Amino acid sequence: MIIILKRGAEEARVQALCAELVGRGLKIHESTGSEARILGLVGDTKSINESWLLANPVVEVVRRVTEPYKKANRKFHPDDTVVEVNGVKIGGGQFAVIAGPCSVESEEQIEEVAAAVKASGAALLRGGAFKPRTSPYSFQGLRADGLELLRHARRATGLPIVTEIMNTEHLPLFEDVDMIQVGARNMQNFELLRRLGQTGKPILLKRGLSATLEELVMSAEYIMAEGNEQVILCERGIRTFETSMRNTLDISAVPMLKKMTHLPVVIDPSHAAGISWMVEPLAAAAVAAGADGLMIEVHNNPACALCDGAQSLTCEQFDALMQKIRPEAEFFGRRLSAG
Ligand code: PEP
Ligand code: MN
């Protein structure tokens, strides 16, 4: 349920109303936007009588919210949320490109890629240290050593770092990671989501391989329900009957998610395509569809990459992509965030 307050509503009366609602066991999610001040009620609102609320002189409108997601719902928060990752803004017209290798492989590799993507205009550096691989015999990542190499690369370039967590036990290792990624395979690891909700850190939440948009938003709700509103949604391709690409990029997820929620939406064309030459056209489509950012895999030597080489751009290809994306993003009214 949401309550839209009257303009200039008397503060003492608003506080009295909030106290009464809290006394009835509800949580209040307040949003003061450009258009209106809204009280979002979270909890069991069945017993709340709408005419009782409407009789209150500070109340303009009362509306029931039927969707199961509340805090992530745009009805609760009409303005776009802007997530700030160590000074880099994503959302609300700020467009950020996250780039880097699929996995951190060596000091030389991550330093070289980090310097190159920074020079081309990436705002954040990605790199997997803990890798969720389909086969237990594939490279699993450098783990804690990989995180250390990412910290080095951050020191060298100033780019905030984004890296994936796979389980709650590793949380202490992620204390100084700027944005924590939840991979597609962990989108419904609810225990992990809850714990991330208690960190207050920006979270990049990737859509599961066969998750609906509502399921994705409900996973964001798990994080937000614990008090962490710094969530970015990432569409990275879903499983369909098509076999000529790794996944099918669901470009329609962008406008639909932006209607459903106020959270920033980022597109990962690399995992969607699985083929490097498709990354640029899909990235361009993402910008046109209204995405708030991109996540792109870049490697200094894709042919020798230990993970996802086929979809990785070379540093030169990434530079060419950025030169196309920059004017396009500006054309569509977004400003590129710098790292
Ligand atoms: C990744 O970003 O490296 C990754 C493993 O992505 P996803 O979870 O989307 O497969
Ligand atoms: Mn990858």
Side-chain angles (χ1 to χ4, degrees):
M1 184 178 255
I2 59 165
I3 299 171
I4 302 176
L5 296 173
K6 283 196 178 134
R7 269 182 202 283
E10 196 190 316
E11 192 54 36
R13 282 185 189 266
V14 175
Q15 290 314 320
L17 173 62
C18 289
E20 169 118 31
L21 292 166
V22 169
R24 291 187 182 209
L26 297 171
K27 285 201 174 120
I28 298 180
H29 183 270
E30 190 173 332
S31 159
T32 305
S34 46
E35 296 297 313
R37 184 171 170 201
I38 292 173
L39 302 178
L41 310 187
V42 186
D44 186 3
T45 56
K46 278 196 284 298
S47 64
I48 305 288
N49 186 302
E50 279 150 82
S51 31
W52 167 71
L53 283 173
L54 284 167
N56 191 309
V58 298
V59 174
E60 177 83 49
V61 176
V62 177
R63 220 175 271 147
R64 293 226 174 248
V65 175
T66 47
E67 295 87 0
Y69 47 94
K70 309 292 178 190
K71 292 193 165 200
N73 201 315
R74 194 174 277 279
K75 289 176 187 158
F76 268 49
H77 190 289
D79 290 348
D80 288 343
T81 281
V82 181
V83 172
E84 199 165 328
V85 186
N86 204 352
V88 174
K89 290 187 175 150
I90 308 179
Q94 289 290 141
F95 188 89
V97 179
I98 308 163
C102 179
S103 38
V104 180
E105 297 171 7
S106 67
E107 182 167 358
E108 187 195 1
Q109 175 239 24
I110 191 68
E111 301 269 320
E112 194 176 323
V113 176
V117 298
K118 159 109 183 182
S120 300
L124 299 132
L125 175 66
R126 66 150 285 148
F130 292 88
K131 294 302 304 175
R133 303 305 300 277
T134 302
S135 165
Y137 310 119
S138 303
F139 175 59
Q140 303 286 308
L142 296 181
R143 303 171 71 87
D145 292 341
L147 294 178
E148 187 54 26
L149 293 179
L150 279 172
R151 284 186 208 105
H152 276 252
R154 173 175 59 195
R155 231 172 286 137
T157 58
L159 292 180
I161 54 178
V162 185
T163 191
E164 176 169 353
I165 193 165
M166 295 215 298
N167 89 51
T168 52
E169 281 165 30
H170 294 155
L171 258 169
L173 294 171
F174 283 69
E175 237 150 53
D176 68 347
V177 166
D178 301 299
M179 176 152 69
I180 302 180
Q181 176 175 328
V182 176
R185 291 153 192 84
N186 262 317
M187 188 202 87
Q188 287 190 316
N189 182 341
F190 300 120
E191 210 45 42
L192 177 61
L193 299 176
R194 271 191 214 283
R195 290 290 301 281
L196 292 172
Q198 292 155 8
T199 64
K201 266 188 191 296
I203 308 296
L204 182 77
L205 177 64
K206 293 187 115 184
R207 181 181 184 183
L209 275 64
S210 55
T212 65
L213 296 180
E214 186 169 295
E215 285 165 341
L216 170 61
V217 177
M218 287 308 289
S219 290
E221 190 79 15
Y222 262 92
I223 300 168
M224 299 173 86
E226 295 295 319
N228 184 358
E229 318 247 315
Q230 299 280 97
V231 182
I232 297 175
L233 304 173
C234 179
E235 157 62 29
R236 43 77 73 204
I238 49 172
R239 281 263 164 92
T240 67
F241 49 80
E242 181 53 61
T243 54
S244 59
M245 295 156 285
R246 184 176 180 180
N247 291 293
T248 300
L249 180 64
D250 180 10
I251 202 78
S252 43
V254 179
M256 186 53 87
L257 284 172
K258 293 189 80 74
K259 182 166 171 57
M260 294 164 76
T261 87
H262 50 88
L263 301 172
V265 178
V266 161
I267 288 280
D268 170 351
S270 306
H271 289 88
I275 326 167
S276 61
W277 64 262
M278 278 193 83
V279 171
E280 189 179 291
L282 296 185
V287 177
D292 299 290
L294 291 166
M295 178 180 248
I296 295 184
E297 286 190 344
V298 181
H299 199 284
N300 53 343
N301 186 359
C304 295
L306 297 179
C307 184
D308 286 349
Q311 69 198 31
S312 298
L313 300 187
T314 61
C315 299
E316 296 72 29
Q317 287 168 333
F318 177 69
D319 191 64
L321 177 144
M322 288 300 291
Q323 289 187 34
K324 293 209 173 150
I325 290 306
R326 187 174 289 111
E328 189 194 356
E330 281 161 12
F331 176 81
F332 284 105
R334 270 154 284 153
R335 294 169 300 279
L336 237 72
S337 292

